[in-house]
Amino acid sequence: MKLSLPKAKQIIGMTDLVDFPDLGLSDVQAKVDTGAYTSALHCKDVQVKRSGLRKKLSFWLIDKTGEPARQFFSDKFSQRMIRNSFGVAELRYVITTPIVLFGRTIRAEFTLADREQLKNPVLLGRKLLRNRFLVDVSQKNLSYQQKVNSQLTSVVSKKTTSVQ
């Protein structure tokens, strides 16, 4: 009988900079929130549009780096009652999209919410964190630091290879 060891969990800090490859967003400020079950993504003007018999969800993603807002459409979405940070239940749209943390691409659910008044446009909830990460609130940007170090190592190894 072969015993399998539990998979080691990655330590994540209180905040990080994350990438959304399918949405064309990189280095987006995210807050880790173990009090939230579902993750959230900042957007505006979320609405369902009909195209014949098909329904598509339309939403505008606002990039806090000064880039203009971009419109996205999804035909794979749902609606769910979510309790906001004040404990008030609200009906929100939910999409599934890949997020990159520590070089790993994870398909995760994100509620679409107006987070303009909040510091971080992305909230990472327990559903995404569970069985993958341990939170160390004294740390920040660990995934981003790993990404930058990996890119630097790649550049150095390319230069070393071309010199020889």
Side-chain angles (χ1 to χ4, degrees):
M1 183 167 142
K2 187 176 180 181
L3 294 175
S4 62
L5 296 173
K7 195 172 186 178
K9 295 177 185 168
Q10 179 79 48
I11 294 176
I12 191 169
M14 194 64 200
T15 61
D16 218 320
L17 299 173
V18 300
D19 298 337
F20 292 94
D22 286 5
L23 303 175
L25 298 173
S26 59
D27 302 337
V28 181
Q29 185 72 33
K31 177 184 177 188
V32 173
D33 185 352
T34 59
Y37 179 70
T38 310
S39 300
L41 181 61
H42 173 56
C43 62
K44 292 269 193 181
D45 197 23
V46 181
Q47 55 185 288
V48 175
K49 297 195 174 196
R50 291 191 182 274
S51 175
L53 297 175
R54 296 183 58 159
K55 291 181 185 176
K56 283 195 181 256
L57 186 67
S58 164
F59 56 97
W60 290 80
L61 288 179
I62 291 89
D63 192 347
K64 293 219 174 193
T65 61
E67 295 282 321
R70 290 180 290 165
Q71 187 175 24
F72 288 88
F73 295 93
S74 176
D75 54 359
K76 294 180 182 144
F77 63 93
S78 62
Q79 271 189 306
R80 209 173 291 150
M81 289 301 287
I82 304 289
R83 288 208 182 277
N84 67 18
S85 57
F86 304 108
V88 177
E90 52 188 30
L91 191 60
R92 287 192 195 164
Y93 289 100
V94 180
I95 63 166
T96 301
T97 190
I99 182 173
V100 178
L101 283 160
F102 297 97
R104 292 172 48 194
T105 302
I106 302 165
R107 289 198 60 78
E109 287 185 337
F110 288 86
T111 65
L112 302 179
D114 184 344
R115 297 181 52 81
E116 190 164 10
Q117 302 303 318
L118 303 169
K119 182 179 177 185
N120 301 290
V122 174
L123 188 85
L124 303 179
R126 291 190 314 270
K127 191 172 182 181
L128 183 145
L129 300 169
R130 183 180 299 139
N131 299 323
R132 291 184 180 102
F133 300 102
L134 292 175
V135 181
D136 181 347
V137 296
S138 69
Q139 301 285 323
K140 66 180 192 174
N141 300 339
L142 296 176
S143 174
Y144 179 72
Q145 289 169 12
Q146 179 181 310
K147 175 181 162 182
V148 169
N149 290 341
S150 174
Q151 290 170 343
L152 288 174
T153 302
S154 177
V155 168
V156 169
S157 69
K158 283 180 184 176
K159 285 184 178 181
T160 306
T161 306
S162 64
V163 171
Q164 295 175 354

